[in-house]
Amino acid sequence: MGKKKALITGVTGQDGSYLAELLLAKDYEVYGMVRRTSTVRYERIRHIQDQIHLVQGDLSDQMSLNRAIETIQPDEVYNLAAQSFVPTSWNQPAFTGDVTALGVTRMLEAIHLVKPDTRFYQASSSEMFGKVQAVPQTETTPFYPRSPYGVAKVYGHWITVNYRESYDMFCVSGILFNHESPRRGLEFVTRKVTYNAAKIKLGLAHELRMGNYEAQRDWGFAGDYVEAMWLMLQQDEPDDFVIATGKTHTVQRLLEVAFSCVDLDWQNYCVQDPAFIRPAEVDLLIGDPSKAHAKLGWKPSVSFEELIQMMVEADLERLKKDPDNAI
């Protein structure tokens, strides 16, 4: 029997790069789908680029997905690609819906038509809970999304359930709560904070403008969370799982920890700016990962404080090497 083959959409993103590393370590043949764009950015996978196969495709183009499944004949597909930045979803709601919602349907349909025994993982999101109906949130907590991104993710989640139940396909969704790393994009609040704390420490910046200090999130390490994705596709029966730490922290606590890593007091550098307040805020997201603990044997290995320190140290190193281009 040959190597298992896996296709990852969104392979150049934070999760895609960690997942590709994990699957390579498990001796998979790894394929990564990339869009044809004018600016191709492979920073996160450059160290493994010669070990994976890159194929062109786009979640907005059905034929490209059909061709990819036909050519690769994957055992597993991990759909991590999306327009995934919540504030952008307010500015580009239709685009977000097309890629983040309908893109899931297109990939499921490609699998259904071409290779229906492929196991499919959908990256669902804690943003689906939005205006939370219960604390903590479990797999059965009702969804109440508060952004176009959250709405699109709800569609993607339910269409995955629909294909599983309608066509007896092995389709699962991981309802992942916020997960971060040194590879997180600069537009996300954790990386925005760690990057700017490092810049201020090195004298490259003097203030950090922030939104709601009181918003709370359940933050974990992306490297832990991709292991949960893989575990979901190794089960006997398909099912959906909340992946979270079960602990919540405010944005203010994030600022305290990040700035303390560089021996600074956050209050001397941070300014609250109304421009960064969301039109509809999600105030408290905290997941209950007990089902994942019990059925998958999964538990996070990196604490919140360890995660933020890891990110601050990585940003310090980047900025020392190249102050002008430390993405």
Side-chain angles (χ1 to χ4, degrees), residues 1-7 23-24 26-31 53 72-76 78 119 230 233-235:
M1 185 176 171
K3 289 184 175 185
K4 270 190 176 181
K5 291 191 280 190
L7 171 63
L23 295 178
L24 287 170
K26 295 183 181 298
D27 203 32
Y28 276 65
E29 194 171 333
V30 178
Y31 293 79
H53 310 278
I72 299 165
Q73 294 287 306
D75 298 288
E76 299 171 0
Y78 296 85
R119 294 191 168 204
W230 177 78
L233 291 193
Q234 313 315 309
Q235 304 305 301

Side-chain angles (χ1 to χ4, degrees), residues 1-308:
M1 185 176 171
K3 289 184 175 185
K4 270 190 176 181
K5 291 191 280 190
L7 171 63
I8 304 170
T9 73
V11 71
T12 60
Q14 169 188 255
D15 293 7
S17 64
Y18 280 109
L19 179 61
E21 286 176 350
L22 177 75
L23 295 178
L24 287 170
K26 295 183 181 298
D27 203 32
Y28 276 65
E29 194 171 333
V30 178
Y31 293 79
M33 183 174 288
V34 292
R35 286 180 301 147
R36 178 73 183 91
T37 61
S38 57
T39 55
V40 182
R41 307 197 66 163
Y42 293 152
E43 286 90 347
R44 296 183 181 95
I45 59 167
R46 188 155 286 142
H47 61 297
I48 54 170
Q49 202 170 327
D50 61 345
Q51 300 173 61
I52 63 180
H53 310 278
L54 296 180
V55 295
Q56 287 196 357
D58 195 312
L59 288 180
S60 63
D61 180 60
Q62 184 71 59
M63 289 307 297
S64 70
L65 303 183
N66 292 4
R67 276 195 300 271
I69 300 300
E70 180 67 47
T71 303
I72 299 165
Q73 294 287 306
D75 298 288
E76 299 171 0
V77 169
Y78 296 85
N79 185 43
L80 311 186
Q83 189 304 98
S84 61
F85 188 44
V86 174
T88 295
S89 77
W90 292 103
N91 296 326
Q92 300 181 19
F95 171 72
T96 299
D98 185 50
V99 175
T100 306
L102 292 179
V104 186
T105 312
R106 295 187 188 104
M107 180 59 86
L108 284 165
E109 188 63 10
I111 293 168
H112 171 231
L113 291 173
V114 179
K115 193 176 181 292
D117 64 339
T118 298
R119 294 191 168 204
F120 175 79
Y121 171 85
Q122 165 60 12
S124 287
S125 168
S126 59
E127 289 285 334
M128 300 188 305
F129 294 119
K131 188 175 180 180
V132 297
Q133 304 300 292
V135 178
Q137 292 88 54
T138 71
E139 293 78 6
T140 58
T141 302
F143 301 135
Y144 196 139
R146 298 272 279 171
S147 67
Y149 169 75
V151 172
K153 280 292 186 181
V154 170
Y155 177 96
H157 180 87
W158 281 116
I159 200 68
T160 301
V161 172
N162 199 256
Y163 270 71
R164 177 170 73 212
E165 295 179 351
S166 300
Y167 301 120
D168 197 29
M169 291 165 58
F170 196 107
C171 303
V172 305
S173 286
I175 307 173
L176 271 58
F177 280 65
N178 295 64
H179 47 288
E180 320 297 317
S181 77
R183 301 178 193 173
R184 193 57 145 152
L186 284 171
E187 69 272 23
F188 292 90
V189 67
T190 47
R191 182 75 198 291
K192 173 182 174 179
V193 168
T194 64
Y195 179 74
N196 280 282
K199 282 187 80 171
I200 290 168
K201 178 64 176 179
L202 296 173
L204 301 172
H206 303 288
E207 74 170 19
L208 171 57
R209 304 189 82 81
M210 295 292 297
N212 181 10
Y213 291 154
E214 300 310 311
Q216 299 178 58
R217 294 292 183 274
D218 183 329
W219 279 301
F221 173 50
D224 287 338
Y225 285 42
V226 298
E227 184 183 5
M229 300 176 188
W230 177 78
L231 285 167
M232 284 181 222
L233 291 193
Q234 313 315 309
Q235 304 305 301
D236 293 333
E237 298 293 332
D239 203 353
D240 304 325
F241 292 88
V242 163
I243 305 300
T245 69
K247 298 176 182 176
T248 188
H249 303 275
T250 62
V251 170
Q252 180 171 319
R253 176 62 181 154
L254 165 64
L255 291 166
E256 290 169 0
V257 173
F259 277 81
S260 70
C261 289
V262 290
D263 299 316
L264 296 175
D265 183 344
W266 71 276
Q267 294 180 87
N268 294 334
Y269 304 96
C270 297
V271 179
Q272 204 160 27
D273 186 338
F276 294 108
I277 304 290
R278 291 185 187 180
E281 181 59 88
V282 175
D283 295 312
L284 176 59
L285 290 174
I286 177 169
D288 177 358
S290 55
K291 182 178 171 182
H293 293 179
K295 292 196 172 183
L296 303 178
W298 177 86
K299 288 187 178 180
S301 67
V302 177
S303 73
F304 173 72
E305 288 77 14
E306 289 168 338
L307 169 64
I308 301 308

